Amino acid sequence: MGEYKRIGILTSGGDCAGLNAVIRAVVRCANGKYGWEVWGICRSTLGLMSSPPEAIKLEFDKVDHLLTMGGTVLGTTNKGNPFAFPMADGSLRDRSEDIIEGYHQLGLSALIGVGGDGSLAILRKLAQQGGINLVGIPKTIDNDVGSTERSIGFDTAVNIATEALDRLHFTAASHNRVMILEVMGRDAGHIALNAGIAGGANVILIPEIPYTIENVCRKIRNRQAMGKNFSIVIVSEAVCTAEGNPVKNMDRFGECRLGGIGQYLAEEISIASGAETRVTVLGHVQRGGLPSPLDRLLATAFGVAAVDLIAEEKYDRVVTWQNREIVSVPIAEAIGQYRAVDTNDTLVKTARGLGICLGD
Ligand code: F6P
């Protein structure tokens, strides 16, 4: 069974469906297979930054309900880089040593960090600086972490966006409208592309493929000429305006958020084609709710594989999904390559083959 270990797990960055399923898998495997202790760190690195560190002991018989639960029972944060942490007086301070101190105070032999590329990069830097034995698990609805075909949370987000398209079809057809669905995904168009094909969209706009309003309107007019007086458009939040500007809003904390390209397109399409348009912005609904069966499977397989890596004392690695196998790769390799939609991807070809307009 090897040496006794006390390991920690934290969830970091934006939440998504499947995080609790990972926590359950880690606890069951670490407790059951290896007889180790597992500590759940609260609110990502903020829990380690606190003095004393905020953590809870997780036990085999108390995690069963986590398989189907959305969000993360440990809490998370997608703000406050610990190397330039915003303090109450408005200054920025390097809090990395506080976090490292928290890890060692808990007496951990290893840490599992569940995060997207940004969180994994921060955790790796902390690990290198403070001798933390880190194993990463990729999660993000954006599915943009390098080296892995799938990240936890993506499939659930695609299911939710697909269901939204299914619902929009009926109301679009009843009113002869162009319905625009704006989805998340940051700079990657995976959610829009996958849900767009699965949900029968007529137009799919993603940041990786430049579009023109004229091309979109041509598709709408062609459909009208075929007697189809409604159209469904799905657009990724990072698609730019015709002038090439991202649509963003600044919040009162000075943070920029993508959002609003759907409304922009609705107005432009309406002016250029005369069609009546309506917009739905799906927002954080894509991150909530029950994880899909595929996300539960992925989360469970990743959780077990991460614990096995710790048993082999293989650190500074992240578990990935490649050709239906779990493969571990160096964290630096995964975060070193941003995974946007490849314009030669099978699904791009599939969309083109179906006659879906990609805007180009
Ligand atoms: O990275 C996940 C994500 O949901 C993006 O798709 C989206 O742009 C962003 O996070 C939203 O962040 P917040 O939760 O801070 O609004």
Side-chain angles (χ1 to χ4, degrees):
M1 187 177 279
E3 158 207 347
Y4 180 79
K5 290 189 198 304
R6 172 189 289 191
I7 67 169
I9 176 167
L10 60 78
T11 50
S12 190
D15 76 326
C16 63
L19 293 176
N20 284 321
V22 180
I23 297 168
R24 168 183 175 269
V26 164
V27 173
R28 292 188 77 160
C29 183
N31 276 188
K33 183 171 170 188
Y34 295 107
W36 301 340
E37 211 172 287
V38 183
W39 285 77
I41 291 147
C42 305
R43 301 181 299 127
S44 181
T45 46
L46 296 178
L48 290 176
M49 206 184 269
S50 302
S51 182
E54 281 176 57
I56 42 173
K57 192 171 174 196
L58 299 167
E59 279 165 302
F60 193 97
D61 55 350
K62 301 209 180 82
V63 292
D64 279 355
H65 64 293
L66 296 184
L67 180 62
T68 55
M69 219 173 139
T72 162
V73 286
L74 296 178
T76 185
T77 178
N78 61 357
K79 290 194 188 57
N81 178 349
F83 294 93
F85 193 78
M87 304 299 288
D89 64 1
S91 64
L92 295 177
R93 222 175 86 194
D94 182 352
R95 303 282 314 268
S96 54
E97 283 303 323
D98 299 333
I99 294 169
I100 292 162
E101 165 73 17
Y103 169 84
H104 292 297
Q105 250 184 47
L106 285 173
L108 301 177
S109 4
L111 177 67
I112 295 177
V114 190
D117 54 353
S119 301
L120 290 175
I122 289 173
L123 291 172
R124 176 162 196 266
K125 199 168 162 194
L126 289 164
Q128 304 262 294
Q129 180 178 321
I132 296 174
N133 292 324
L134 177 68
V135 169
I137 295 182
K139 69 85 218 171
T140 166
I141 64 164
D142 307 339
N143 209 31
D144 56 0
V145 177
S147 306
T148 186
E149 289 158 19
R150 293 195 163 272
S151 292
I152 296 163
F154 171 64
D155 185 64
T156 306
V158 169
N159 286 354
I160 293 166
T162 304
E163 188 190 332
L165 290 177
D166 293 344
R167 289 171 187 267
L168 288 173
H169 261 96
F170 295 107
T171 172
S174 306
H175 285 269
N176 291 342
R177 284 174 172 161
V178 174
M179 287 293 189
I180 298 166
L181 179 68
E182 179 181 313
V183 293
M184 284 184 166
R186 271 215 177 110
D187 296 318
H190 296 290
I191 297 178
L193 181 61
N194 283 258
I197 295 172
N202 311 111
V203 179
I204 301 175
L205 301 179
I206 59 175
E208 296 85 347
I209 301 180
Y211 72 98
T212 66
I213 296 285
E214 182 41 37
N215 290 341
V216 174
C217 290
R218 188 178 312 115
K219 175 71 181 178
I220 292 166
R221 281 194 295 270
N222 287 346
R223 283 178 51 78
Q224 285 165 345
M226 286 162 28
K228 296 184 174 168
N229 288 320
F230 71 95
S231 288
I232 305 286
V233 178
I234 185 166
V235 59
S236 299
E237 61 181 357
V239 166
C240 291
T241 64
E243 293 77 35
N245 302 316
V247 186
K248 291 181 174 178
N249 306 297
M250 179 91 82
D251 69 15
R252 69 189 177 90
F253 303 106
E255 294 215 12
C256 261
R257 292 234 157 63
L258 290 165
I261 185 65
Q263 192 56 44
Y264 165 86
L265 287 172
E267 281 154 29
E268 296 298 315
I269 291 170
S270 175
I271 293 165
S273 71
E276 193 183 4
T277 56
R278 291 289 188 273
V279 186
T280 303
V281 181
L282 211 43
H284 293 79
V285 170
Q286 292 157 98
R287 299 218 310 235
L290 304 185
S292 67
L294 183 53
D295 270 332
R296 295 180 203 184
L297 284 174
L298 192 68
T300 304
F302 276 170
V304 167
V307 174
D308 285 341
L309 273 183
I310 294 174
E312 294 167 41
E313 303 199 331
K314 287 189 180 158
Y315 302 121
D316 196 22
R317 301 184 77 78
V318 58
V319 292
T320 69
W321 188 254
Q322 299 178 11
N323 301 318
R324 216 189 151 274
E325 293 282 342
I326 302 245
V327 179
S328 83
V329 302
I331 296 178
E333 187 180 314
I335 60 179
Q337 26 165 314
Y338 183 73
R339 192 175 162 275
V341 172
D342 177 348
T343 50
N344 287 315
D345 186 85
T346 305
L347 290 185
V348 173
K349 291 182 187 150
T350 303
R352 293 196 194 284
L354 282 177
I356 296 173
C357 169
L358 296 178
D360 57 348

